[in-house]
Amino acid sequence: MNQLSFGFTASPVREEVEALEDLPIDSLWVGGHVASRNPSPEAMVKLAQLAVLTRRVRIGTSILLLPLYPPAIVAKQIADLDQTTGGRVTLGVGVGGEYEQEFRACGVPVQERGRRVNEAIPLIRKLWTAEEISHPGPFYPMEQVRIHPAPVQPGGPPIVVAGRKDPAMVRAGRLGDGWMPYLYSPRAYAESVGRIREVAAEAGRDLARFEWMQFLFTNVGDDPEAARRETAGFLGGNYDQDFSAFVDRVAAAGTAAQVAARVQEYVDAGARHIIFTPATRIDRMAMVRRILDEVVPLVRPSSS
């Protein structure tokens, strides 16, 4: 699949969502935390708000920290939201771990997070069948449980795996419907594509419908150094780190031509759906329009 599509992270505010849906974009995404260091809404609440406010675009979580949630609750909430939207939901999941207090707050040992997600993904799919199921555990044992009605999308919404390290790639190759890394270089993206394809082949999985996504912090400015500084400040505020030395490696910041060249590198590495996060706290919608008007027209599908 060489066709490209583009989405944006969104604040579920009516005026912004309406403005975004009037633009030529394909998806809107929301994330969140339960107990992070910085004030943050919760991802499923934000997704529900998007479900109500949108009318046409695909909506999804980028990401839901799946080990913090009982799979039955996630399955029910996502099935209901898929019904509400007429089949427009995607579930993006990750393991988290950068904020250990979230795991303490939810009573989940942080060292179990990967194994819990590996169990939860196929269990959620079983629950989406709307048939009575039993599951032996070890983390989520249940007997004679039926969650219905089923989602609108046959087999349930796509479950896209986010992450940065090899366990996440293995999870995507064995269990996921897509891959959505973040804070990733184009070189790392290309390597992850190869790794996921290798894992999928070993598991006998066909990746014909697999979705290759990239979550990309982006800032377009006439002054490239100012754009890089603003991006570093934005990322540092989100992750409590100094990103000055890493912006050129894991983000897209600079003039429109520079940003487009950077996005093209991800496309050439294998990405087919770019999720832009405007790396600014000043005027998000102005940055969205610059990305769509000045960057996207310069990006072309890879010939590979």
Side-chain angles (χ1 to χ4, degrees):
M1 292 178 60
N2 285 335
Q3 184 176 356
L4 295 180
S5 55
F6 301 93
F8 285 85
T9 56
S11 172
V13 175
R14 181 179 299 276
E15 292 78 13
E16 178 176 318
V17 171
E18 289 176 351
L20 286 165
E21 279 215 302
D22 287 337
L23 298 173
I25 65 174
D26 302 286
S27 65
L28 292 177
W29 302 81
V30 290
H33 290 275
V34 173
S36 65
R37 293 189 188 96
N38 302 313
S40 174
E42 191 274 330
M44 293 296 272
V45 170
K46 291 175 73 176
L47 186 66
Q49 291 173 316
L50 271 190
V52 172
L53 294 174
T54 56
R55 62 187 186 278
R56 68 165 186 87
V57 296
R58 174 186 195 177
I59 64 171
T61 52
S62 62
I63 57 165
L64 182 75
L65 299 176
L66 187 55
L68 301 181
Y69 297 78
I73 297 295
V74 174
K76 179 58 176 170
Q77 290 175 324
I78 293 294
D80 287 353
L81 292 175
D82 203 52
Q83 287 277 342
T84 297
T85 61
R88 294 188 285 114
V89 172
T90 293
L91 177 60
V93 301
V95 300
E98 64 268 35
Y99 301 127
E100 288 196 30
Q101 64 268 31
E102 291 193 287
F103 289 81
R104 295 195 299 270
C106 296
V108 175
V110 68
Q111 67 271 17
E112 294 178 356
R113 65 194 190 278
R115 285 174 290 158
R116 284 176 175 267
V117 171
N118 290 343
E119 181 178 335
I121 290 174
L123 175 55
I124 288 170
R125 288 205 179 97
K126 287 171 65 178
L127 291 166
W128 279 340
T129 64
E131 299 175 357
E132 187 177 274
I133 67 121
S134 294
H135 178 74
F139 295 109
Y140 308 111
M142 59 184 72
E143 292 185 7
Q144 298 177 321
V145 173
R146 183 187 182 199
I147 288 178
H148 57 103
V152 171
Q153 297 178 74
I159 300 178
V160 176
V161 175
R164 303 181 66 238
K165 298 180 180 179
D166 190 69
M169 299 176 210
V170 172
R171 186 172 300 118
R174 290 179 179 170
L175 302 173
D177 299 310
W179 172 236
M180 185 201 300
Y182 65 102
L183 297 179
Y184 237 39
S185 70
R187 178 178 177 179
Y189 195 97
E191 291 172 353
S192 74
V193 170
R195 177 62 171 145
I196 291 167
R197 290 192 183 282
E198 175 187 24
V199 170
E202 291 172 353
R205 294 191 70 205
D206 181 0
L207 297 185
R209 294 182 176 274
F210 194 86
E211 298 189 82
W212 301 100
M213 302 181 173
Q214 169 63 24
F215 186 100
L216 187 61
F217 292 97
T218 308
N219 188 301
V220 183
D222 297 327
D223 181 342
E225 290 306 316
R228 292 186 182 96
R229 285 195 301 271
E230 187 176 17
T231 302
F234 181 88
L235 291 172
N238 283 352
Y239 294 98
D240 291 331
Q241 299 177 42
D242 183 358
F243 276 86
S244 301
F246 301 104
V247 166
D248 287 337
R249 185 153 58 92
V250 300
T255 65
Q258 289 172 328
V259 171
R262 185 64 164 175
V263 174
Q264 189 68 56
E265 290 182 48
Y266 287 102
V267 172
D268 292 343
R272 291 296 175 267
H273 187 73
I274 308 296
I275 302 168
F276 295 107
T277 293
T280 179
R281 303 187 190 281
I282 299 172
D283 189 339
R284 273 181 46 88
M285 286 305 300
M287 188 65 68
V288 167
R289 291 186 178 94
R290 290 204 71 168
I291 293 169
L292 287 174
D293 294 344
E294 302 175 35
V295 173
V296 168
L298 301 179
V299 181
R300 295 290 180 266
S302 171
S303 58
S304 62

